[in-house]
Amino acid sequence: MTTQTTAPDTPSTPATGAPSGLVRIPPRIGRAVATVGGALTILSTFLSWTWTADFPGDLTVYGYPGGLQVLVLIGGVLTTLFALASYGIKGLGWLVPAGADAALKFAALTTFATAWYTVLAISVELGGLVNLEPGGYLVAVTSLAALIGALALPFQRPEPDPIDPDDTSWEHFKHRAAHQWATVKAAFTSGTPRPLGKLPSYAEILIIVGILALGLTVFTYGIGTEYDELFIGFLLTAGLGFAALNKAGLISQASQLTARHQNITTCGAFVAAALFPFTQTNDQYATLGVYILIFATVALGLNIVVGLAGLLDLGYVAFLGVGAYAAALVSGSPNSPFHVHFPFWAAVLIGAAASLVFGVLIGAPTLRLRGDYLAIVTLGFGEIFRITANNLDGTSGPDLTNGSNGIASIPNLDILGFDFGAQHDIAGFSIGRFANYFFLMLIITAVVVLVFRRSGNSRIGRAWVAIREDETAALAMGINGFRVKLIAFAVGASLAGLAGTVQAHVTYTVTPEQYLFAGPIPPNSAFLLAAVVLGGMGTISGPLIGAALLFLIPNKLQFLGDYQLFAFGLALILLMRFRPEGLIPNRRRQLEFHEEAEAPTVLSTTGA
């Protein structure tokens, strides 16, 4: 791995040291202020911030950060490290392969946002600034100083075009093209992450293990936040901290490693997920974990329809409901009119097959439509399914689904003598009911990931992508568009039905209200589509991460009451504004949204 000895953003600083950043002070002074501010912020986290333990997290202890202080400490460490790396110190260049200045700005913003949110929360909840101890005042001043110093660093701007725009001669064209290419190259030489140097395979695998361990730690911390203030601070630190790491180029470097060892990364991710129940002392957060996996698996199935085939399906949650109802009817519920109790493997096959049949029946007459028309039809199907299930109560229709009361008292699974409803002791750890279903759902998620990966890399997967990119061109090349889209619809529907069979047993009851188009709590069609777009269309990990965020955040924001969806929607708007390709973007979509930034890299690669 190459070591960076000079700050990549430094060449844009004027030789005279004149101000060139957002804050009009010399960059060298700003860098020093950011460094000192970050170091003092770290120190402040070991002091008391308030005199009373009434504020959640007990911020009265000296010498031991707790609660929100830990998050500010993380931001202060990032700010200090990026500030030191901006000086070109040997041994820190690997931290900023894409440049230190932009990363330092976001790290300082992370620290400032979390610190000032904590100070304001203490003041509001306890009744004024008088409740702050010296540590609280210190962190407010030092985090603000670090942010001001970071904003004094220069921003790279393209140089003005010296060519007369009214000149239409051939010489003007050549000069203008050469100037634009030089501007783009200069702007992105320091902003594009340097290729990761070749490391021994064992070293790269160890780095991947560290990345997965960090991901498990962050997820476990986020899902286990015990009070509302800590979760909001976690969102600020995690969101802005991710942006800082991305600006530093570390996210891109991690993507290179995981792409180089894709099989190891996939297996390691499932191992890390399997360790999650062992980090919990009870089923409180394992409950969220199993629902997140159900939601994520359905979102991954929708990713086949939307992300690979490019079909906008707004009623996809109906296929989840079909699978859940089909499994509930044959799983021994006393409310089922069939009065049968099939083993789980048979219920799984019936649920997946029922969703597959419904997918074909709905797709066959509608997939000749495109765009908005297809979206409207699928939206209508989702509502028709919910209304039909509500009417099959023996009064408005045949007695099949028990109407709005649903199919209740679905028994717990018993597979090979293993009772999923009972608590089990494994290696000294007590695993409860929801943890048992978490492991089962993790196996099903692995199956869905395997199906998505194999189908996406197959001949039919390439046909899906061709249809998504340009259906007319794909038809001209001999691809049977209708058949290819129908297969995508059927595969996606069957995967949703597969998840629905587990959902029926986890929730004990299946009712029509669980399968709305939109609502405050997922899964519903709107949140499923948002999970695919937010995470990254056409990828495997994208919808999984997007679904985890979209399920976890609304559950944690319930204390906001009527403002919950407003805050959540505002966060989604900001994310889509600054990262429209998704959190884990597909390479093709990343080029579409950031064509001007990626062009030099692509051209240099082809030129080589």
Side-chain angles (χ1 to χ4, degrees), residues 69-150:
Q69 289 176 324
V70 176
L71 301 177
V72 176
L73 174 62
I74 295 173
V77 170
L78 282 179
T79 301
T80 305
L81 289 176
F82 288 149
L84 293 175
S86 68
Y87 284 101
I89 297 177
K90 291 184 178 180
L92 293 179
W94 63 272
L95 276 174
V96 285
D101 286 359
L104 177 56
K105 292 182 179 74
F106 274 96
L109 180 60
T110 302
T111 309
F112 170 80
T114 309
W116 276 68
Y117 164 73
T118 305
V119 170
L120 292 175
I122 292 174
S123 302
V124 171
E125 293 189 19
L126 300 184
L129 294 174
V130 69
N131 294 283
L132 294 177
E133 286 287 283
Y137 292 107
L138 179 62
V139 74
V141 173
T142 55
S143 61
L144 177 60
L147 178 62
I148 293 175

Side-chain angles (χ1 to χ4, degrees), residues 271-505:
V271 171
L275 294 176
F276 168 72
F278 296 101
T279 65
Q280 309 300 310
T281 57
N282 52 50
D283 258 4
Q284 179 181 1
Y285 299 119
T287 305
L288 292 178
V290 67
Y291 283 120
I292 286 174
L293 279 182
I294 293 173
F295 186 27
T297 303
V298 181
L300 195 58
L302 178 61
N303 198 25
I304 292 180
V305 179
V306 177
L308 293 182
L311 305 173
L312 185 55
D313 188 348
L314 298 182
Y316 188 76
V317 74
F319 297 123
L320 174 68
V322 170
Y325 266 103
L329 289 172
V330 298
S331 294
S333 170
N335 299 119
S336 171
F338 300 125
H339 304 294
V340 295
H341 193 172
F342 289 0
F344 177 66
W345 63 267
V348 166
L349 292 179
I350 291 175
S355 296
L356 173 66
V357 170
F358 270 84
V360 173
L361 292 178
I362 297 302
T366 62
L367 285 179
R368 301 186 187 278
L369 302 173
R370 297 187 187 182
D372 298 339
Y373 300 100
L374 178 62
I376 293 172
V377 170
T378 54
L379 174 62
F381 163 67
E383 290 301 300
I384 289 172
F385 164 77
R386 182 179 61 83
I387 295 173
T388 301
N390 198 41
N391 288 334
L392 296 180
D393 56 357
T395 302
S396 302
D399 187 9
L400 183 62
T401 64
N402 202 25
S404 59
N405 295 322
I407 301 177
S409 303
I410 301 173
N412 283 303
L413 290 176
D414 191 323
I415 301 178
L416 299 177
F418 185 89
D419 185 2
F420 280 75
Q423 181 173 298
H424 301 275
D425 293 328
I426 301 177
F429 294 91
S430 295
I431 304 299
R433 176 181 183 270
F434 285 100
N436 296 331
Y437 282 106
F438 180 89
F439 289 123
L440 176 62
M441 198 61 223
L442 192 62
I443 296 174
I444 293 179
T445 303
V447 172
V448 174
V449 168
L450 179 63
V451 171
F452 182 92
R453 184 175 176 182
R454 297 293 293 177
S455 60
N457 294 331
S458 66
R459 180 179 179 182
I460 190 67
R462 292 192 295 272
W464 287 338
V465 174
I467 289 291
R468 182 192 70 192
E469 295 300 317
D470 192 330
E471 183 173 353
T472 303
L475 295 177
M477 295 300 295
I479 295 177
N480 188 330
F482 174 76
R483 183 176 64 88
V484 167
K485 291 190 290 185
L486 187 60
I487 292 175
F489 223 68
V491 172
S494 61
L495 295 181
L498 189 65
T501 60
V502 179
Q503 185 204 29
H505 291 86

Side-chain angles (χ1 to χ4, degrees), residues 23-341:
V23 177
R24 308 300 292 177
I25 61 177
R28 65 177 183 275
I29 297 178
R31 186 171 282 110
V33 171
T35 306
V36 175
L40 291 178
T41 299
I42 295 175
L43 176 62
S44 70
T45 60
F46 292 88
L47 303 177
S48 173
W49 287 9
T50 183
W51 62 274
T52 174
D54 289 342
F55 187 81
D58 192 6
L59 307 184
T60 64
V61 181
Y62 283 87
Y64 187 81
L68 287 162
Q69 289 176 324
V70 176
L71 301 177
V72 176
L73 174 62
I74 295 173
V77 170
L78 282 179
T79 301
T80 305
L81 289 176
F82 288 149
L84 293 175
S86 68
Y87 284 101
I89 297 177
K90 291 184 178 180
L92 293 179
W94 63 272
L95 276 174
V96 285
D101 286 359
L104 177 56
K105 292 182 179 74
F106 274 96
L109 180 60
T110 302
T111 309
F112 170 80
T114 309
W116 276 68
Y117 164 73
T118 305
V119 170
L120 292 175
I122 292 174
S123 302
V124 171
E125 293 189 19
L126 300 184
L129 294 174
V130 69
N131 294 283
L132 294 177
E133 286 287 283
Y137 292 107
L138 179 62
V139 74
V141 173
T142 55
S143 61
L144 177 60
L147 178 62
I148 293 175
L151 294 178
L153 299 181
F155 289 90
Q156 292 186 353
R157 298 180 177 89
E159 299 178 2
D161 191 349
I163 308 299
D164 182 8
D166 295 329
D167 187 1
T168 58
S169 64
W170 172 249
E171 288 297 320
H172 159 75
F173 176 80
K174 291 194 298 182
H175 283 297
R176 184 175 180 84
H179 175 265
Q180 289 178 342
W181 168 249
T183 301
V184 172
K185 185 176 181 181
F188 293 100
T189 297
S190 61
T192 302
R194 297 182 178 183
L196 187 64
K198 184 66 176 179
L199 296 174
S201 295
Y202 71 88
E204 294 183 343
I205 293 174
L206 288 177
I207 294 175
I208 292 174
V209 171
I211 294 172
L212 295 175
L214 177 62
L216 176 62
T217 302
V218 171
F219 177 77
T220 302
Y221 186 90
I223 202 174
T225 49
E226 298 176 352
Y227 48 93
D228 304 330
E229 294 86 353
L230 184 60
F231 181 72
I232 294 179
F234 168 77
L235 288 182
L236 292 173
T237 303
L240 295 174
F242 177 85
L245 297 178
N246 184 54
K247 288 293 183 181
L250 293 176
I251 301 299
S252 177
Q253 301 287 45
S255 299
Q256 292 181 31
L257 285 179
T258 54
R260 195 177 299 168
H261 303 278
Q262 193 172 19
N263 292 331
I264 293 177
T265 302
T266 302
C267 295
F270 279 101
V271 171
L275 294 176
F276 168 72
F278 296 101
T279 65
Q280 309 300 310
T281 57
N282 52 50
D283 258 4
Q284 179 181 1
Y285 299 119
T287 305
L288 292 178
V290 67
Y291 283 120
I292 286 174
L293 279 182
I294 293 173
F295 186 27
T297 303
V298 181
L300 195 58
L302 178 61
N303 198 25
I304 292 180
V305 179
V306 177
L308 293 182
L311 305 173
L312 185 55
D313 188 348
L314 298 182
Y316 188 76
V317 74
F319 297 123
L320 174 68
V322 170
Y325 266 103
L329 289 172
V330 298
S331 294
S333 170
N335 299 119
S336 171
F338 300 125
H339 304 294
V340 295
H341 193 172

